Amino acid sequence: MNSTLTSDVIGRRVEVNGEHATVRFSGIVPPVAGLWLGVEWDNPERGKHDGSHEGTVYFKCRHPTGGSFIRPNKVNFGVDFLTAIKNRYVLEDEPKEEETEQIVIIGNKPVETVGFDSVIKQQSQLSKLQDVSLRNCAVNGAGDKGGIAKACPNIRSIDLSKNLLSSWEEVIDIANQLKHLEVLNLSENKLTFPSGSPSPTGTFSMLKVLVLNRTGITWAEVLCCASGWPVLEKLYLESNNIIISERPTDVLQTVKLLDLSSNQLIDENQLFLIAYLPRLEQLILSDIGISSIHFPDAGIGCKTSMFPSLQYLVLNDNQIAQWSFMNELDKLQSLHALSCTRNPLTEGSKDAQTTRQFIIARIGQLRTLNKCAIEPEERRGAELDYRKAFGNEWKKAGGHQDPEKNRPNEEFLEAHPRYQALCLKYGAPEDGELKTQQPFLLKNQLLTLKIKYPNQLDQKVTEKQLPESMTVQKVKGLLSRLLKVPVSELLLSYESPKMPGKEIELENDLQSLQFYSVENGDCLLVRW
């Protein structure tokens, strides 16, 4: 850039030694002679001041150290789209022994050319491009009108993240020439968006995936531009300080995935404004600071009408600390997959396996938790463990094995809305299952147990001493070696003299004998 810079540079995006900034001022800054550019850095730590010099305000910054004055020759204003494409994708010719001459007829005259085959090769290379990445290539706009459409008309997916685009209009100038465009990534471009007029019809007629992370877009601007995205399926809006200010009407109706991660100003009431997007299947809400959710239209054991198509919900890195949050998620009628890592509820000193079991038990239709599939056996074990863990609390609240007397109070039902359904599914917990476990003392560590084989009359009753901390899986392993029977074929249960005629299954391989309240003198029943 030279000293003839005009006010046209104001608002332009620039790059200086790898750092990006926006031009806020162009002119003289006394007492030093010559032209200066005042820039506001994306990284405010890069700057020195707020746009003021010796008491005079030349421009304003959002951060007190976000500004600098720079000579124009130190600034990179970038290149147009087609130049960037050629820089990255046009292959250099192979080493030339000699330039070959060709005769080409132009009009009626034969013309000798040198390297004409190289031009054809370059055009061929560009026209075949479908998936393009121009991340961090200093792209500042479309360039010559029609040039993109002529050179590379078949582009379907393009990454334009971290470039020097400054406005949505510049994006439209590029997209207008890419009629097959389906995927567009504009992340980390500080763009100005229209707030009044919608995008021209047809510009994004094929666009299915749009990534606008860290672009500074507002929710109002999203809704304004969205009328130009008629078939959009995936929209990424991470880290834009978005506040959901109004409900989408007649826009975003085709969106299946919405990413609102790291927008810390979003709360549960704002989420209700997007709760009726008809096709929304995946909602990503990582790191938004949410701690509570309540669907007011659904009571205990009922399903909400909100988020009717939502199948996958991501809640990582939030402030969820109460089990009531998980109870509410059970009200979502289509929810099958959940990710909720790095929350107070799931972190700390708590047993991770128990936490997983309780989440599974509280959300009945869940099939995947934290990207791990929930097999039927795991669900059964989780629900049985949950049923037992809160059995005494259920009894104190008015729960009873007799269905006619089973009336737990409202407080218990609110804290454990699925408990009654689990009692119907597996039967109410018996008194024997709810015995208080003895404290962990040295004398209590070993259990003397009889072992019977009801289906094997030739097997004699034996007696073994086993640690009460021994898991069902390890007991099966021991018996498998003794009996020469595969572990997978063994079924264990036990009887207690205190509960004559009652047989309790040891159905969860991961739990200990102590968990099932097995005591000295009890009898293990082994079947295969």
Side-chain angles (χ1 to χ4, degrees), residues 91-318:
L91 299 176
E92 294 294 331
D93 289 336
E94 295 178 4
K96 304 170 187 176
E97 295 178 4
E98 286 186 14
E99 292 284 7
T100 57
E101 292 187 1
Q102 289 184 319
I103 306 296
V104 178
I105 305 298
I106 299 178
N108 294 320
K109 298 181 179 180
V111 177
E112 292 185 356
T113 67
V114 177
F116 192 75
D117 54 341
S118 299
V119 176
I120 295 173
K121 183 188 288 187
Q122 289 181 8
Q123 291 174 343
S124 175
Q125 289 167 6
L126 294 179
S127 66
K128 290 177 182 177
L129 288 175
Q130 292 190 8
D131 298 319
V132 170
S133 176
L134 294 178
R135 176 174 171 79
N136 205 16
C137 287
V139 176
N140 62 15
D144 293 339
K145 187 175 181 180
I148 298 171
K150 183 177 179 181
C152 39
N154 293 311
I155 291 176
R156 283 168 168 74
S157 172
I158 184 160
D159 181 353
L160 279 170
S161 60
K162 204 171 185 181
N163 276 289
L164 301 180
L165 298 168
S166 60
S167 72
W168 187 245
E169 285 75 15
E170 291 170 354
V171 175
I172 290 174
D173 287 343
I174 294 171
N176 263 331
Q177 302 181 58
L178 300 172
K179 299 304 181 184
H180 303 290
L181 189 63
E182 296 180 3
V183 179
L184 176 59
N185 186 350
L186 295 166
S187 297
E188 300 176 82
N189 286 282
K190 299 293 183 183
L191 301 171
T192 57
F193 291 87
S195 55
S197 57
S199 303
T201 304
T203 302
F204 300 101
S205 61
M206 302 282 286
L207 193 66
K208 294 180 181 179
V209 180
L210 178 58
V211 188
L212 293 171
N213 300 336
R214 301 179 187 84
T215 56
I217 195 168
T218 67
W219 185 249
E221 290 165 347
V222 169
L223 298 187
C224 174
C225 294
S227 60
W229 311 329
V231 296
L232 191 68
E233 295 181 358
K234 298 181 179 181
L235 178 59
Y236 297 84
L237 298 170
E238 180 182 330
S239 301
N240 283 306
N241 290 320
I242 281 177
I243 296 174
I244 302 174
S245 52
E246 57 183 300
R247 183 173 170 175
T249 53
D250 302 323
V251 293
L252 303 182
Q253 303 300 297
T254 58
V255 168
K256 296 180 180 180
L257 181 153
L258 180 60
D259 185 354
L260 292 167
S261 298
S262 301
N263 287 290
Q264 296 276 339
L265 301 176
I266 292 177
D267 59 28
E268 63 174 306
N269 292 321
Q270 293 177 44
L271 294 177
F272 295 155
L273 294 173
I274 58 170
Y276 295 98
L277 290 174
R279 299 187 187 179
L280 186 62
E281 297 175 358
Q282 298 184 52
L283 181 59
I284 305 174
L285 299 174
S286 295
D287 188 34
I288 66 168
I290 194 169
S291 61
S292 63
I293 191 81
H294 175 63
F295 300 109
D297 64 329
I300 295 172
C302 299
K303 298 296 183 183
T304 178
S305 61
M306 298 183 183
F307 298 102
S309 301
L310 188 63
Q311 298 178 24
Y312 182 29
L313 179 61
V314 181
L315 293 165
N316 301 330
D317 301 293
N318 278 295

Side-chain angles (χ1 to χ4, degrees), residues 360-408:
I360 292 170
R362 288 173 185 267
I363 307 176
Q365 70 275 25
L366 211 58
R367 298 176 192 164
T368 304
L369 177 58
N370 297 330
K371 298 186 178 180
C372 292
I374 302 168
E375 301 297 338
E377 276 300 309
E378 184 182 15
R379 172 161 290 285
R380 174 181 166 81
E383 291 178 342
L384 286 170
D385 290 346
Y386 178 83
R387 168 179 156 274
K388 179 176 179 178
F390 296 98
N392 285 318
E393 190 178 328
W394 166 75
K395 285 190 69 177
K396 289 177 183 177
H400 200 281
Q401 283 89 355
D402 184 344
E404 294 185 4
K405 299 178 181 179
N406 182 23
R407 295 186 182 87

Side-chain angles (χ1 to χ4, degrees), residues 300-362:
I300 295 172
C302 299
K303 298 296 183 183
T304 178
S305 61
M306 298 183 183
F307 298 102
S309 301
L310 188 63
Q311 298 178 24
Y312 182 29
L313 179 61
V314 181
L315 293 165
N316 301 330
D317 301 293
N318 278 295
Q319 301 301 318
I320 301 166
Q322 303 297 325
W323 283 111
S324 57
F325 199 111
M326 299 302 156
N327 294 340
E328 289 296 310
L329 296 186
D330 187 53
K331 295 179 179 180
L332 293 168
Q333 55 189 287
S334 302
L335 187 68
H336 297 316
L338 172 68
S339 289
C340 57
T341 59
R342 297 180 298 278
N343 279 277
L345 189 68
T346 59
E347 297 298 304
S349 58
K350 299 185 184 72
D351 177 21
Q353 182 61 27
T354 300
T355 301
R356 177 178 170 87
Q357 287 183 314
F358 283 3
I359 293 174
I360 292 170
R362 288 173 185 267

